[in-house]
Structure formats: C-alpha cells, structure tokens
C-alpha cells in the first residue's frame, strides 16, 4: 500500500496523487508559539510505502527539521519505505568548503536525511549534476527544462533567439532549452562577490538577437540583474529569463523588473508570481516509471 503525505510546503501532493492514483494522507503540522514545530501523523502508516511531498523554500531550515520529524515518525510507526518528493532542495549550492572553517552544509543535510530513514528521493533540477554521489540513498533527478522550453516557445516572442546560460554551471540546462528551441546556446561567466552580488566577467556575442537567460535558481536576483545589464550593453534585442526554482528572495523580482525584462518564468517547485509551469505532471510520470506502475 502506498500513501502520499504533504508537508507544510507539499502543495504538489494533490496533483501528484490525482495523476498517480496514490491516495492522499495527512499529517498535522503546526508552528508552536515558541517557534518549535509540532508534528503528528494521525494516519495508519504501518507497513505502507510513504511518499512525503515537501518543498524547502522560504524557510529552508524549518522545512528540513519538519521533514526530519516526519521521516523519523513514519519509521517509528512502522512504515515500510519512505520516499521524499522534494522538488526544490536547499543548500544544494554548497557541497564543499570554499573558505577555511565554513560548514559543508549539503553534506550535513544529506547525513541527517539518511540517519532519519529516508530511502529514496525525487528532486527537480538539483544544482549539482553529481547528486547521486552526495546522498547515500537513491536519488531521481528530473529536469523541468524541456517543459520550460515548451512554455517559452508558446509564450515568448522570439526572433532568431539565442539561449544564454547564466554561468558555467548552467550549461547543462541551457543546452536542453536550446535544443528544444532549435537554436544555439552560449554562456556568461560570473564571479560571485557575496550572497547578493556578482560581477559578469564575460558576455557572449548577442548583438541584435533575442536572448533567453537560463538558470536553475533565481534567488536574490543578483545574477539575472547583472546578466540583463551586460546583455543590454552587448546589444541584445529582447531579453527573457527562465529558471526552475524561482526562490526570489527579498526584492529580487522588483529588481529584475526595474532593470527591464521582456518576460520571466519559473516552475512551481517554489510557488511565486512567476511560477507559470507546473512540474506535477513530470514528477507523477517519473514516479510511475520508477516505482513500477503499469
Ligand atoms: C548558481 O550557481 C546558480 O546556478 C544561480 O546562478 C544562483 O543561485 C543565482 O542566485 P542569485 O539569484 O542570488 O544571484
């Protein structure tokens, strides 16, 4: 028997349940006056395979601790297997220590999930391509880029476009979108100064071209803002941006609109005003394929 249970940010649980036919369950989740988390599972979960759906945006630390409480409680109540459906996974940009003494945060988070009893997880466009090597359990990493490319084709006005990866790491995603759009991709190079500031140190040839900037995450908006400025200076015509995870912290969207953009989209791995593409169908198909549904 299978059961889908949503966490506080498990908004994709219902469409995934509808698409896969896995029944929905329920967990009581509350934030107590002192800031602690209350978690209770009123469902019969013993002997069941649990699909726990949660995203970790806005309040990543709180969502991680809530998810750990849930996993540990499922285990204690005798669930057969716990599978995480975590469309947006935080701390994915810091696997190793760049500065002496810095916490290798992703490594710690991966150990916590393993210890709690997670046996497998589905993620969408995980920042690091070698995600399997980081977690000590099975990971299914799904890409939303083909869906994003479909949205771009249908909704953005493009004339001889070029796809521009926001940095070297974005090459993988820029390539997928460019192939679907039938155009070339090029890469920008950036140097990160701190969490909010980047400097673009290499801009590709884009004069008189429509440009689609592709990135996995738009967080503070620093990268996209600097990319737009650099592409405008390089003579780009229309400029659009697309990402999988529109984290859009603080004033990110305002800053991006202020610098001037012709269109911007993201998916619902993180709910935002630009989440026009849903990954629920994609995740459902992947579950059906990987979990042996007929
Ligand atoms: C970094 O390598 C990522 O791919 C994104 O470029 C980055 O997360 C964007 O962050 P921000 O919007 O804060 O510049």
């Amino acid at each position: 028997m299978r059961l889908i249970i949503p966490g506080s940010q498990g908004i994709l649980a219902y469409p995934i349940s509808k698409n896969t036919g896995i029944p929905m369950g329920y967990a009581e989740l509350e934030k107590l006056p002192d800031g602690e988390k209350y978690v209770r599972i009123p469902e019969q979960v013993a002997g069941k395979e649990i699909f726990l759906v949660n995203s970790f945006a806005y309040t990543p630390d709180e969502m991680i601790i809530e998810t750990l409480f849930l996993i540990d409680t499922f285990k204690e109540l005798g669930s057969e297997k716990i599978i995480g459906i975590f469309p947006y996974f935080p701390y994915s940009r810091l696997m190793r220590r760049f500065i002496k003494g810095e916490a290798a945060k992703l490594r710690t988070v991966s150990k916590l999930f393993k210890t709690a009893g997670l046996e497998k997880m589905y993620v969408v466009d995980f920042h690091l391509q070698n995600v399997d090597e980081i977690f000590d359990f099975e990971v299914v990493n799904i890409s939303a880029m083909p869906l994003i490319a479909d949205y771009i084709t249908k909704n953005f006005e493009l004339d001889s476009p070029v796809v521009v990866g926001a940095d070297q790491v974005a090459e993988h995603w820029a390539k997928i979108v460019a192939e679907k759009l039938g155009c070339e991709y090029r890469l920008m190079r950036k140097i990160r100064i701190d969490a909010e500031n980047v400097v673009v140190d290499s801009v590709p040839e884009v004069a008189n071209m429509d440009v689609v900037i592709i990135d996995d995450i738009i967080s503070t908006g620093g990268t996209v803002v600097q990319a737009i400025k650099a592409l405008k200076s390089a003579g780009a015509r229309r400029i659009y941006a697309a990402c999988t995870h529109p984290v859009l912290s603080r004033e990110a969207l305002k800053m991006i609109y202020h610098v001037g953009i012709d269109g911007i989209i993201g998916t619902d791995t993180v709910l935002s005003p630009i989440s026009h593409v849903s990954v629920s169908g994609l995740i459902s198909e992947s579950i059906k394929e990987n979990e042996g549904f007929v």
Side-chain angles (χ1 to χ4, degrees), residues 173-228:
W173 298 297
K175 194 170 171 203
I176 299 175
V177 175
E179 263 168 29
K180 288 275 273 175
L181 297 186
C183 68
E184 274 184 38
Y185 76 88
R186 294 170 193 171
L187 299 178
M188 306 196 75
R189 249 196 5 231
K190 78 179 183 204
I191 300 167
R192 183 165 287 285
I193 311 294
D194 56 32
E196 291 173 70
N197 297 291
V198 301
V199 172
V200 171
D201 80 337
S202 163
V203 192
E205 174 59 54
V206 291
N208 298 315
M209 299 177 99
D210 289 342
V211 178
V212 183
I213 304 167
I214 294 292
D215 211 344
D216 56 335
I217 304 169
I218 300 180
S219 181
T220 66
T223 301
V224 171
V225 165
Q226 294 310 322
I228 295 169

Side-chain angles (χ1 to χ4, degrees), residues 50-286:
I50 304 297
F51 291 78
L52 171 60
V53 184
N54 219 357
S55 195
F56 302 110
Y58 320 119
T59 50
D61 297 342
E62 187 183 327
M63 287 306 111
I64 286 172
I65 199 82
E66 171 188 290
T67 304
L68 290 168
F69 287 155
L70 282 164
I71 296 169
D72 195 39
T73 313
F74 289 137
K75 204 84 217 158
E76 217 186 314
L77 295 176
S79 297
E80 190 193 298
K81 186 174 182 184
I82 304 150
I83 300 175
I85 314 286
F86 305 142
Y88 168 66
F89 203 96
Y91 293 122
S92 59
R93 290 174 290 174
L94 199 63
M95 177 55 190
R96 65 184 176 84
R97 201 166 274 125
F98 286 96
I99 303 169
K100 193 170 169 229
E102 207 171 46
K105 299 177 275 186
L106 184 57
R107 213 184 51 203
T108 309
V109 173
S110 86
K111 282 194 271 190
L112 288 170
F113 278 115
K114 171 75 184 171
T115 310
L118 192 68
E119 284 164 79
K120 180 173 182 175
M121 73 174 180
Y122 288 74
V123 288
V124 180
D125 287 326
F126 197 89
H127 182 69
L128 302 170
Q129 292 303 308
N130 63 339
V131 58
D132 314 14
E133 295 160 27
I134 299 162
F135 292 89
D136 201 6
F137 46 77
E138 193 185 343
V139 180
V140 181
N141 186 15
I142 311 161
S143 183
M145 289 297 163
L147 282 185
I148 288 175
D150 287 345
Y151 181 94
I152 292 170
T153 308
K154 286 183 199 135
N155 297 281
F156 291 170
E157 204 181 322
L158 293 171
D159 189 10
S160 39
V162 62
V163 168
V164 171
D167 53 27
Q168 306 282 320
V169 184
E171 175 165 15
H172 170 73
W173 298 297
K175 194 170 171 203
I176 299 175
V177 175
E179 263 168 29
K180 288 275 273 175
L181 297 186
C183 68
E184 274 184 38
Y185 76 88
R186 294 170 193 171
L187 299 178
M188 306 196 75
R189 249 196 5 231
K190 78 179 183 204
I191 300 167
R192 183 165 287 285
I193 311 294
D194 56 32
E196 291 173 70
N197 297 291
V198 301
V199 172
V200 171
D201 80 337
S202 163
V203 192
E205 174 59 54
V206 291
N208 298 315
M209 299 177 99
D210 289 342
V211 178
V212 183
I213 304 167
I214 294 292
D215 211 344
D216 56 335
I217 304 169
I218 300 180
S219 181
T220 66
T223 301
V224 171
V225 165
Q226 294 310 322
I228 295 169
K229 286 185 183 167
L231 291 165
K232 282 191 176 179
S233 303
R237 211 166 31 202
R238 283 181 284 249
I239 303 178
Y240 298 92
C243 69
T244 303
H245 311 293
V247 173
L248 300 176
S249 44
R250 297 198 186 141
E251 303 268 82
L253 200 53
K254 197 167 149 191
M255 276 165 37
I256 294 168
Y257 284 136
H258 183 73
V259 76
I261 189 139
D262 293 280
I264 178 166
I265 58 136
T267 79
D268 58 359
T269 59
V270 176
L271 267 194
S272 80
I274 63 161
S275 298
H276 302 312
V277 172
S278 179
V279 294
S280 60
L282 201 67
I283 295 174
S284 308
E285 289 315 308
S286 183

